[in-house]
Amino acid sequence: MHAFTEKDIRTSFINASLRERNSLIVPDLRDIEWDKLDYFGWRDPKQPLAGFMVVPIDDGPVGILLRQTEQRTRTRAQCSWCEDVTLPNEVVMFSAKRAGKAGRNGDTVGTLLCENFECSVNVRRPVPPAYLGFDVAAARDRRIAALREHAAGFARDIRDSA
């Protein structure tokens, strides 16, 4: 993923009002290892139920404002994007308003995601070999590709619903 500027991030949000985009707290971008990310996600400590992500897709970045549900799942859920089975972190339900008229009418999409957007780290962690001759590097590459597909598909679903 290539590096984004604060301006790129603010202008990319497709399901946020102008006021929400202007009040957005963007984290310090200088120390971000962009080459190790498949999407850029963060939480704002001042808004504990809000999540923000920017997903690179073919025609540029798509920013999505997410809302975490207040209700926690009763059992440990699996992230829908990284599909990590070791569950090194909490997984929560996020919802996002669709872009355009659909979003203004209250149409939303929900997904289970790593609480602090650790998916890119999870898919890069080596998996234990499943059998003799198992290609760990190829499995890692497949997990990265699948994460990118899941993130881009979600972003397109939010964007193209208008």
Side-chain angles (χ1 to χ4, degrees):
M1 184 165 128
H2 76 280
F4 295 124
T5 65
E6 184 173 339
K7 182 181 180 195
D8 294 336
I9 291 171
R10 285 187 190 281
T11 59
S12 72
F13 278 85
I14 58 172
N15 68 341
S17 68
L18 182 60
R19 185 180 60 80
E20 288 171 321
R21 279 183 280 186
N22 289 336
S23 66
L24 181 66
I25 307 242
V26 178
D28 185 3
L29 302 174
R30 291 176 292 193
D31 297 327
I32 304 294
E33 296 182 64
W34 295 100
D35 59 326
K36 295 182 180 175
L37 292 178
D38 304 295
Y39 68 91
F40 179 52
W42 74 97
R43 303 293 295 262
D44 180 357
K46 294 181 181 177
Q47 301 178 63
L49 295 178
F52 309 93
M53 68 172 41
V54 178
V55 180
I57 56 175
D58 24 279
D59 33 348
V62 173
I64 301 169
L65 171 62
L66 301 160
R67 296 283 179 218
Q68 178 184 328
T69 59
E70 292 185 44
Q71 182 73 28
R72 292 278 182 165
T73 56
R74 292 183 185 197
T75 59
R76 296 271 308 200
Q78 179 179 349
C79 177
S80 298
W81 289 15
C82 67
E83 300 173 338
D84 194 66
V85 295
T86 59
L87 298 172
N89 46 265
E90 292 296 320
V91 173
V92 296
M93 175 64 118
F94 282 105
S95 65
K97 286 189 314 186
R98 290 188 185 272
K101 184 179 181 197
R104 288 189 297 276
N105 289 337
D107 193 4
T108 61
V109 177
T111 189
L112 289 166
L113 288 175
C114 294
E115 185 172 30
N116 292 310
F117 307 108
E118 300 97 340
C119 296
S120 293
V121 172
N122 293 345
V123 297
R124 285 169 173 73
R125 211 174 34 250
V127 296
Y131 51 85
L132 190 61
F134 180 77
D135 190 345
V136 174
R140 177 182 169 268
D141 292 343
R142 281 191 301 274
R143 291 181 72 198
I144 291 170
L147 171 58
R148 290 178 180 167
E149 287 176 30
H150 293 307
F154 184 78
R156 283 188 187 99
D157 188 22
I158 299 293
R159 180 193 67 186
D160 297 342
S161 60

